[in-house]
Amino acid sequence: MRKPYVLLLAAQLLPSVLLWPAGPAYAADNGSWSVFPVSSEVSQRPYFYVTAHPGTTVRDKVVVANKTGRPLTFRLYAADAYNTARDGGFAVRTVKERQRGVGAWVRPEKSRVTVPARGSVTVPFTLRVPERAEPGDHPGALVALDERIDAGDGSLAVGVQRAVGARLYLRVNGPTVPALAVEKVRVRHTQPLVPGTGDSTATISYTLHNTGNVTLTPRVELRAQGLFGRTLLARDLTAIPSELLPGQRVRLAEPWHGAPQLDWADVTLTASAEDTRESASVSFFALPWLVALVLGAGLVAAGVVFRVRRRRRSADQGRLTGVV
């Protein structure tokens, strides 16, 4: 059985980072060990930020600090970053996955390091940007992985490996193209059988797609209009990724409490970031089942009455023709 892999990244600590003092407190930290860039006396770096031309070689150093009372050994490697499908969070590839960007271009001087109890180790690394590297952002991280399997408390049948990563943001010089798309907008609507006897809700799902080559901080507006242009909903969404990485798609959903119970609604999602703005729409007809059944029965009855009258009219016309 494949072991699950747990990774803590600096982004998960961002609210605390803003309050912590300078120095190693900027590190990505899981309570047992932390990983962070070497900082100078002039500035403290929360992450690695690198801008380079294709073909450039950059050298830097990463620190792995052990907060426990015993030595720890780590696998040190670089990894490409991506957005998680569940919530768009910042995550990186595991050591066994294929790396195509920063994960393939960064080489730590040591692939395994043993850090003494309550001590730290500084490891130089080299970033070689390929000659044919595409312009734009190539995010990733330097990861310290504890390769031991943590069996937990025995209540679970699978083990866990823990890792901590310090983010590395690389921008390769060249044309930058911010571009964003809203795709596959869907509405799932539920409502009471009888109008006015309960709450009506809807879930609006959509895909946010970074089609450009730079990291975006998207904003999404949700608007819904009913018949005759009435505004049913106007909302700026908050449950969106703080960073949408180049080429990444994230499937998101927004609940709508108090959705219409009898109306025609046009739902529009508008995503914007930097110099890009795109919209996508979907429509749905809110009609309670009881009303639908009554209307359906009424239409069927009207159809039957119409056909009966039509037959009678035809029969009457036939008899008149025979008399003549």
Side-chain angles (χ1 to χ4, degrees):
M1 180 180 294
R2 187 175 180 179
K3 306 296 183 183
Y5 186 76
V6 176
L7 177 63
L8 175 65
L9 293 170
Q12 294 173 300
L13 301 176
L14 185 55
S16 299
V17 168
L18 297 177
L19 302 176
W20 287 350
Y26 278 110
D29 189 328
N30 68 354
S32 296
W33 69 93
S34 57
V35 184
F36 51 93
V38 166
S39 298
S40 68
E41 296 180 357
V42 178
S43 64
Q44 308 292 336
R45 298 182 293 169
Y47 316 119
F48 293 100
Y49 295 98
V50 181
T51 301
H53 292 287
T56 301
T57 297
V58 179
R59 292 177 176 83
D60 208 329
K61 297 177 182 179
V62 64
V63 179
V64 182
N66 179 5
K67 297 187 173 185
T68 71
R70 57 187 174 82
L72 294 176
T73 299
F74 301 101
R75 172 75 178 271
L76 190 61
Y77 75 99
D80 297 336
Y82 66 96
N83 289 106
T84 59
R86 183 185 63 173
D87 57 6
F90 187 102
V92 300
R93 305 295 177 189
T94 67
V95 68
K96 295 182 179 180
E97 292 181 274
R98 182 179 179 182
Q99 313 293 341
R100 302 175 184 273
V102 164
W105 304 341
V106 171
R107 287 291 180 269
E109 190 174 277
K110 299 178 180 179
S111 60
R112 281 181 173 80
V113 293
T114 298
V115 186
R118 307 196 186 285
S120 64
V121 173
T122 299
V123 181
F125 66 88
T126 301
L127 166 60
R128 292 185 172 88
V129 183
E131 292 283 354
R132 296 185 179 180
E134 295 183 0
D137 292 339
H138 300 267
L142 279 158
V143 182
L145 166 68
D146 186 350
E147 294 183 290
R148 298 172 303 165
I149 303 298
D150 185 356
D153 58 7
S155 60
L156 298 176
V158 294
V160 173
Q161 286 184 313
R162 295 195 298 162
V164 176
R167 294 190 184 192
L168 192 159
Y169 291 95
L170 168 65
R171 172 161 291 188
V172 177
N173 289 327
T176 56
V177 182
L180 188 62
V182 182
E183 303 169 342
K184 298 179 180 179
V185 181
R186 303 285 187 271
V187 177
R188 187 175 72 250
H189 184 244
T190 58
Q191 59 192 44
L193 183 64
V194 180
T197 60
D199 293 331
S200 178
T201 62
T203 299
I204 302 165
S205 58
Y206 63 101
T207 297
L208 207 56
H209 185 193
N210 185 342
T211 57
N213 65 353
V214 294
T215 300
L216 300 175
T217 302
R219 299 176 300 278
V220 180
E221 302 172 0
L222 171 60
R223 300 290 183 268
Q225 288 186 325
L227 291 173
F228 312 111
R230 294 179 301 108
T231 298
L232 303 176
L233 181 66
R235 181 187 302 171
D236 293 334
L237 305 189
T238 57
I240 56 177
S242 59
E243 292 180 306
L244 188 59
L245 307 181
Q248 294 294 299
R249 288 183 174 90
V250 178
R251 189 70 181 168
L252 302 169
E254 181 71 15
W256 180 5
H257 300 289
Q261 297 188 16
L262 183 59
D263 207 336
W264 178 272
D266 296 314
V267 177
T268 300
L269 285 159
T270 302
S272 59
E274 296 188 17
D275 298 325
T276 180
R277 184 180 178 89
E278 294 293 336
S279 297
S281 299
V282 67
S283 299
F284 72 97
F285 185 32
L287 183 65
W289 283 108
L290 183 60
V291 175
L293 290 173
V294 171
L295 290 176
L299 290 174
V300 170
V304 171
V305 171
F306 175 78
R307 293 183 64 180
V308 169
R309 289 182 175 178
R310 186 176 180 181
R311 288 178 179 177
R312 287 179 178 175
R313 188 181 303 113
S314 298
D316 291 342
Q317 290 178 351
R319 285 195 294 270
L320 290 173
T321 303
V323 170
V324 174

